[in-house]
Amino acid sequence: MQKQVNNNSTHILDSRIAYRKHIYQLTLAFVMTIIIALGMIPSRTAVQAHPEGAGCYDAETGELLDEECEDDHSGHEHEHGEGEGGSGIFADPVPGEPVDLAVTTFTFSNNMTPLGYSRRTVPTSGAGNNFYNSDLAFWGNYAYHGHYDGFRIIDISDPTNPTQILNYTGCGANLGQGDIVVWENLLIRSWDATAGAATRCAGELVGQGFEGLNIFDISDPTAPVLLRNVRMASNTTPQGCGSHTLTLVPDVARGNLYVYSTPSSASCPGVDIVRVPLADPASAVYLRREPAGRACHDTGVILGDVNLVACAGGNGLTVWSIDPTIDPPAAGSLEDPIQLYSRSVTGVTVGHSAAFTFDGEVIVFGHEPGGGSQAQCQAGSSTVNKSIYFFEARTGVQLGTFQHQRPQTNRENCTWHNYNIVPTDRGYVFVSGNYQSGISVVDFTNPAAATEIAYADPEPLSPTSLVLGGDWSTYWYNGNIFEADIRRGLIVWGLEDRLNSGTPVLTHLNPQTQEFSFPLDTTPPTTEVTGVSDGAIYTLGEVPVAGCLSTDSQSGVAQEATLTLVGGTNNGVGSFTATCSGAYDWANNFASDAVAHFQVHYGGLSGFTAPINPDNSSVFRRGQAVPGKFTLAGAMASYDFSAWTIQKVSVVCATLAEGEASAVGSLAPFRYDATEGQYIFNADFRNQAAGSCWKLRATLDSGQVFDSAVFQLIR
């Protein structure tokens, strides 16, 4: 949020879900009636909350324009006193609630399944109405959910029952959006609202005008311990503007964490760099500000073999390179990135978010027209305001854009807000939270033709007016989607899609930090024909079974090839072609067809038998038929021999040299003699000259050709 104090799988809930929705609506209404009757919470009326935008802040810089907004931001009554900060530890486990209570108004694609719900309800009016839920981080089986009043620690080991372990509210009251990052036993929280003289964090006075970072030890998730407040305020050098958002950059080899903090203010343009020694986090120190030429709002970092940094803010983005092998504080190290370029984006005034594909080829750039509190996704909203952008990471060349797919009403604040990239080599996919447009999962493997593959879109919070709400952020983590809803809390979703299969299991996730890289799978599977070999000759009745086998060493085979076998005759012999086609991997790379050509021959071919002797000694009178006889293996009586041919071949009697082959007539039809178990063809040589020599040549439908011995005609 700006700093301010064609999917064919679409469906409406089917009858079964609708029934569950009805039951839970009745249950929720009953429970809420009892709670209100007991005075546990005030009843709520859907009136417009004071949005974080309109009229309070400069759309380009995020600077405060109206002092009344400042007063409204810092002067709320709170359960532990105005700005004082008590212990703020509420560590009784709170089990998850039936997820239908959270998603009764949602329409979602049929590959999305609501799994679990951890409630932290923010009312739309009255006390605490703008103590919004904000960003997420993950370590192991815990989700850390920031909010404007602190943070929650939620056990997500069972996605259907996300259980709140702690709701910590011990640092002031509504003093900034409270973005968080985690590393092992450390939690670092952003603070970007000016503290008063009486403001405390974990019981300690933070000092008049404090803004910056809170560093906690969360070794015991039920009892966080404040280690250090890092001041980045108006009386620091250089002047600070607090920490609006923050990105963690680990340098474990040197025993440090770095926080790239973004003030989101034109008064503090760039990225503030803080070093946190792992051995002594309480000695964390502000190092310097990396100039960006813009008011950076969010910063994305990718390490591995890519090592790039990108901040989004103002009218575009700025990109740097880093080299973790360079010892700080040298140029190019994690303490001193080298700027590659800065570029503006036409029509953009509030750049918001930047993330990289895991191969480092593409930056996904989001912006926040209206500061997040306006209805910028209506059918009539500008194309720019509804679009997210894809840029070539190292050059800034624009590769494509993608628009919100479902027009929202004038009662729904909407932009592309916070998102992350799914770590898969099967394609480019991001999961995004878009305020009251809800969740969008987008395949942008082709940045010029991105497509939405899943979504979950709630109805407006208010039937009459625009109330700030919806998704602050939505992230992929270990196969599920975690939706941080500004007013509802945390909702967990399951996603069924090839691009969500085979993803790695992460030990942790700070969504703005991509700690590793890998190439996109662009190599197709290899397919081969099995069973039969190209060029082979097989005997009828002994032909191996042909099949297909595809292998893929990267994303794996998603679809095995299909075998097509063509050729042959009615007798099952002749020339055959086996083709394996259509195999592809999980990255949608299609394999080339594999082809094998082979022959099937008759077995047991005897050749011509008597009365044509094999020693070329046979003689026949020219007025007689010359019987050509032969046998085959198998069920000879069933063979179709209509395609078989017998020819006569002239031979030079003295040398046995062959002449031309030509058709020969038959004195009787070609037949199978069941009694003798042989085929008989009575060749007609009545018109041939006495003394001439000949032989017969048979060609079968298998392609087999065989000749008789030579015989001579006499008178």
Side-chain angles (χ1 to χ4, degrees):
M1 180 172 288
Q2 183 185 352
K3 180 177 180 178
Q4 297 173 15
V5 153
N6 120 39
N7 191 317
N8 291 327
S9 62
T10 300
H11 76 161
I12 306 299
L13 299 179
D14 62 22
S15 59
R16 178 171 56 85
I17 297 298
Y19 174 75
R20 290 165 54 201
K21 169 180 172 180
H22 175 67
I23 294 299
Y24 279 116
Q25 282 177 325
L26 293 176
T27 303
L28 179 59
F30 175 75
V31 171
M32 293 302 294
T33 301
I34 297 299
I35 291 174
I36 293 171
L38 293 175
M40 296 169 67
I41 61 171
S43 60
R44 295 180 292 165
T45 304
V47 298
Q48 182 175 358
H50 175 48
E52 286 194 309
C56 293
Y57 299 89
D58 184 276
E60 170 68 19
T61 68
E63 292 183 285
L64 185 69
L65 300 177
D66 186 342
E67 293 300 325
E68 290 184 3
C69 298
E70 175 83 9
D71 294 340
D72 179 75
H73 175 74
S74 60
H76 296 289
E77 294 182 1
H78 192 258
E79 58 190 358
H80 49 63
E82 181 181 346
E84 294 179 358
S87 66
I89 297 176
F90 303 94
D92 290 336
V94 180
E97 300 185 33
V99 69
D100 287 30
L101 296 177
V103 301
T104 51
T105 71
F106 281 64
T107 299
F108 48 91
S109 56
N110 61 13
N111 57 351
M112 291 279 283
T113 303
L115 298 177
Y117 176 41
S118 175
R119 178 194 298 275
R120 182 183 178 273
T121 303
V122 177
T124 57
S125 63
N129 75 87
N130 55 359
F131 289 8
Y132 308 124
N133 300 307
S134 60
D135 214 4
L136 290 167
F138 305 86
W139 197 279
N141 287 326
Y142 288 108
Y144 299 84
H145 194 178
H147 54 74
Y148 275 50
D149 206 22
F151 57 88
R152 294 197 297 154
I153 301 178
I154 303 169
D155 183 342
I156 56 172
S157 56
D158 179 359
T160 67
N161 182 30
T163 299
Q164 177 181 293
I165 303 302
L166 170 75
N167 182 28
Y168 186 89
T169 58
C171 285
N174 203 15
L175 295 175
Q177 63 189 36
D179 279 16
I180 53 177
V181 293
V182 292
W183 189 267
E184 294 181 338
N185 64 322
L186 297 178
L187 181 148
I188 306 173
R189 179 178 184 268
S190 286
W191 182 318
D192 69 338
T194 305
T199 303
R200 297 175 182 270
C201 185
E204 298 179 11
L205 290 171
V206 297
Q208 178 73 40
F210 174 84
E211 295 183 76
L213 302 173
N214 310 126
I215 303 176
F216 290 91
D217 183 336
I218 53 171
S219 299
D220 180 354
T222 68
V225 176
L226 178 67
L227 300 177
R228 175 74 190 278
N229 293 317
V230 180
R231 188 180 183 98
M232 292 185 289
S234 59
N235 61 347
T236 58
T237 303
Q239 176 186 345
C241 299
S243 177
H244 187 61
T245 67
L246 73 172
T247 300
L248 188 71
V249 185
D251 187 11
V252 176
R254 296 183 181 87
N256 294 316
L257 302 177
Y258 290 95
V259 175
Y260 288 2
S261 173
T262 46
S264 189
S265 171
S267 299
C268 304
V271 178
D272 290 330
I273 301 176
V274 175
R275 184 176 61 226
V276 182
L278 285 168
D280 183 15
S283 66
V285 60
Y286 175 89
L287 297 176
R288 58 183 293 272
R289 177 171 298 141
E290 173 63 31
R294 64 182 64 257
C296 289
H297 183 283
D298 264 54
T299 299
V301 172
I302 183 169
L303 301 175
D305 294 327
V306 179
N307 296 311
L308 293 175
V309 179
C311 99
N315 64 3
L317 69 160
T318 302
V319 176
W320 297 265
S321 67
I322 50 177
D323 186 347
T325 67
I326 297 176
D327 289 331
S333 71
L334 298 180
E335 294 184 6
D336 189 7
I338 295 176
Q339 187 175 132
L340 298 180
Y341 64 88
S342 184
R343 68 153 295 166
S344 61
V345 182
T346 302
V348 169
T349 58
V350 186
H352 188 276
S353 301
F356 296 91
T357 55
F358 275 90
D359 59 3
E361 296 294 326
V362 180
I363 290 176
V364 182
F365 169 79
H367 67 119
E368 193 171 46
S373 63
Q374 297 179 8
Q376 294 289 349
C377 303
Q378 300 178 67
S381 297
S382 71
T383 298
V384 168
N385 286 0
K386 293 185 288 187
S387 293
I388 195 166
Y389 293 78
F390 309 116
F391 296 104
E392 191 174 275
R394 293 190 179 273
T395 65
V397 172
Q398 185 170 318
L399 301 174
T401 63
F402 184 71
Q403 293 186 44
H404 285 285
Q405 295 297 285
R406 287 164 305 288
Q408 304 294 297
T409 69
N410 62 0
R411 293 171 283 117
E412 295 172 282
N413 57 306
C414 172
T415 68
W416 298 99
H417 198 222
N418 287 318
Y419 46 85
N420 75 332
I421 310 300
V422 177
T424 176
D425 63 358
R426 299 177 178 185
Y428 296 154
V429 187
F430 72 78
V431 175
S432 181
N434 313 309
Y435 292 119
Q436 290 197 66
S437 178
I439 300 170
S440 184
V441 183
V442 176
D443 177 353
F444 63 105
T445 306
N446 178 359
T451 58
E452 185 177 66
I453 60 175
Y455 72 88
D457 190 347
E459 295 177 4
L461 284 169
S462 168
T464 58
S465 61
L466 195 160
V467 174
L468 182 70
D471 289 11
W472 182 279
S473 53
T474 301
Y475 300 125
W476 176 98
Y477 180 61
N478 286 347
N480 290 321
I481 291 175
F482 292 82
E483 179 182 19
D485 188 286
I486 289 173
R487 297 193 182 274
R488 293 179 175 92
L490 178 67
I491 307 171
V492 187
W493 296 79
L495 170 64
E496 295 182 9
D497 189 89
R498 68 174 182 85
L499 294 169
N500 191 36
S501 301
T503 49
V505 176
L506 305 181
T507 60
H508 60 278
L509 175 66
N510 292 292
Q512 284 70 44
T513 306
Q514 296 164 253
E515 296 178 35
F516 54 89
S517 64
F518 52 80
L520 192 66
D521 179 5
T522 58
T523 303
T526 299
T527 295
E528 61 178 315
V529 178
T530 61
V532 296
S533 300
D534 188 48
I537 298 175
Y538 300 102
T539 299
L540 183 64
E542 301 176 6
V543 182
V545 176
C548 300
L549 177 64
S550 301
T551 57
D552 188 275
S553 61
Q554 290 184 263
S555 60
V557 176
Q559 175 63 57
E560 181 55 271
T562 300
L563 174 69
T564 303
L565 188 62
V566 297
T569 69
N570 293 339
N571 297 327
V573 294
S575 298
F576 290 85
T577 299
T579 303
C580 292
S581 60
Y584 57 86
D585 61 18
W586 287 107
N588 259 2
N589 299 308
F590 279 79
S592 298
D593 292 355
V595 179
H597 304 283
F598 62 95
Q599 298 283 326
V600 178
H601 285 181
Y602 293 105
L605 177 61
S606 64
F608 285 99
T609 59
I612 301 178
N613 298 324
D615 60 358
N616 302 326
S617 63
S618 298
V619 293
F620 296 96
R621 295 189 179 278
R622 59 185 294 266
Q624 297 176 336
V626 177
K629 301 178 181 181
F630 60 92
T631 62
L632 300 173
M636 291 190 292
S638 65
Y639 292 151
D640 175 7
F641 48 80
S642 61
W644 298 356
T645 62
I646 304 292
Q647 294 176 295
K648 62 180 185 292
V649 181
S650 64
V651 177
V652 177
C653 295
T655 63
L656 302 184
E658 291 185 9
E660 293 185 357
S662 59
V664 60
S666 174
L667 294 179
F670 197 175
R671 63 187 177 87
Y672 173 68
D673 183 349
T675 302
E676 299 294 331
Q678 61 184 355
Y679 295 100
I680 301 175
F681 182 89
N682 291 308
D684 182 4
F685 280 88
R686 290 175 298 177
N687 295 327
Q688 306 305 321
S692 61
C693 292
W694 302 86
K695 61 181 178 180
L696 297 178
R697 175 169 294 165
T699 302
L700 308 184
D701 57 342
S702 62
Q704 291 166 277
V705 178
F706 57 96
D707 291 352
S708 71
V710 176
F711 56 88
Q712 189 174 33
L713 299 180
I714 61 175
R715 292 186 181 275

